[in-house]
Amino acid sequence: YVDIKLLAITFTYFLTTMSYSLFFKNIVILDVMFIASGFLWRVIAGAIAIDVKISPWLITCTAFLALFLGFNKRRGELMALGDSGTRKNLKEYSFEMLQEYQAITTSGAIISYALYTVLGPHNNPWLLVTLPYVLYGIFRYIYLINKKGEGDAPDETLLKDWPILLNGLLYIVTTIIVLLITE
């Protein structure tokens, strides 16, 4: 048995992915926005699948983080390949423009995460103690892109950097402790 809402979200995800592959991957800015929307559909599908109410702050935080990773992926590609890379629209991006997008999406991700911790489903202001981990993770990722030339493959960048992995582990442990102590 599949919930009709989950089926609708799955179909919407499929349409989004096909639209990207057939058309939007060649349109500057919308290419990244369509990829980011795929992450949103997955988060929504997950919430429906486990039958939990989804926080609008979780959606906002996911959107900004997905845009952050997407625009930084373009920045990494531009650094690695120049504007003659494999993407047709890579020449439409510039370092300056991507740096502005990085600043906007970084701010949005951090603020929406902070709001999610206090206004989300746990409604627990003590979860704000996890904010330094989020800040470090984002700052470390920016460092890896700007100073180490990483970022053209975000999954590889995140999974091979031991400080980010350790930070993620500490984040999880801290979150569990806060939830156990305060609830």
Side-chain angles (χ1 to χ4, degrees), residues 117-135:
T117 63
V118 294
L119 300 174
H122 292 286
N123 197 22
N124 185 338
W126 286 104
L127 284 172
L128 275 174
V129 300
T130 63
L131 187 58
Y133 298 111
V134 172
L135 290 169

Side-chain angles (χ1 to χ4, degrees), residues 11 26 32 34-35 39 57 59 80 87-88 107 116 128 140 145 149 161 163 175 181:
F11 182 69
N26 297 316
V32 174
F34 266 73
I35 291 170
F39 286 96
W57 291 111
I59 293 173
R87 295 188 190 284
K88 282 194 217 177
S107 301
Y116 174 64
L128 275 174
R140 175 74 184 177
I145 289 168
D161 186 67
T175 301
I181 291 174

Side-chain angles (χ1 to χ4, degrees), residues 28-144:
V28 69
I29 302 168
L30 286 178
D31 61 333
V32 174
M33 294 184 88
F34 266 73
I35 291 170
S37 70
F39 286 96
L40 290 175
W41 294 128
R42 283 181 247 171
V43 167
I44 294 167
I48 291 170
I50 63 172
D51 196 28
V52 296
K53 184 178 179 194
I54 190 163
S55 164
W57 291 111
L58 177 62
I59 293 173
T60 306
C61 189
T62 301
F64 276 114
L65 186 58
L67 289 169
F68 169 81
L69 291 170
F71 285 123
N72 279 296
K73 178 175 173 46
R74 292 297 180 264
R75 185 176 169 89
E77 291 170 337
L78 199 58
M79 289 171 66
L81 305 170
D83 63 10
S84 62
T86 57
R87 295 188 190 284
K88 282 194 217 177
N89 66 350
L90 202 53
K91 65 182 173 293
E92 299 296 323
Y93 287 104
S94 69
F95 288 113
E96 297 78 18
M97 178 172 60
L98 289 167
Q99 191 169 4
E100 288 183 47
Y101 295 164
Q102 183 185 68
I104 293 166
T105 58
T106 299
S107 301
I110 292 167
I111 291 167
S112 60
Y113 177 78
L115 289 168
Y116 174 64
T117 63
V118 294
L119 300 174
H122 292 286
N123 197 22
N124 185 338
W126 286 104
L127 284 172
L128 275 174
V129 300
T130 63
L131 187 58
Y133 298 111
V134 172
L135 290 169
Y136 177 79
I138 289 174
F139 295 160
R140 175 74 184 177
Y141 191 78
I142 292 170
Y143 164 78
L144 293 172

Side-chain angles (χ1 to χ4, degrees), residues 137-179:
I138 289 174
F139 295 160
R140 175 74 184 177
Y141 191 78
I142 292 170
Y143 164 78
L144 293 172
I145 289 168
N146 291 334
K147 290 295 187 179
K148 301 294 183 182
E150 298 279 338
D152 55 329
D155 53 338
E156 291 176 19
T157 300
L158 293 170
L159 293 174
K160 74 177 185 183
D161 186 67
W162 71 265
I164 285 183
L165 292 172
L166 179 60
N167 183 61
L169 178 64
L170 291 171
Y171 168 85
I172 291 168
V173 169
T174 303
T175 301
I176 290 169
I177 290 170
V178 167
L179 291 175

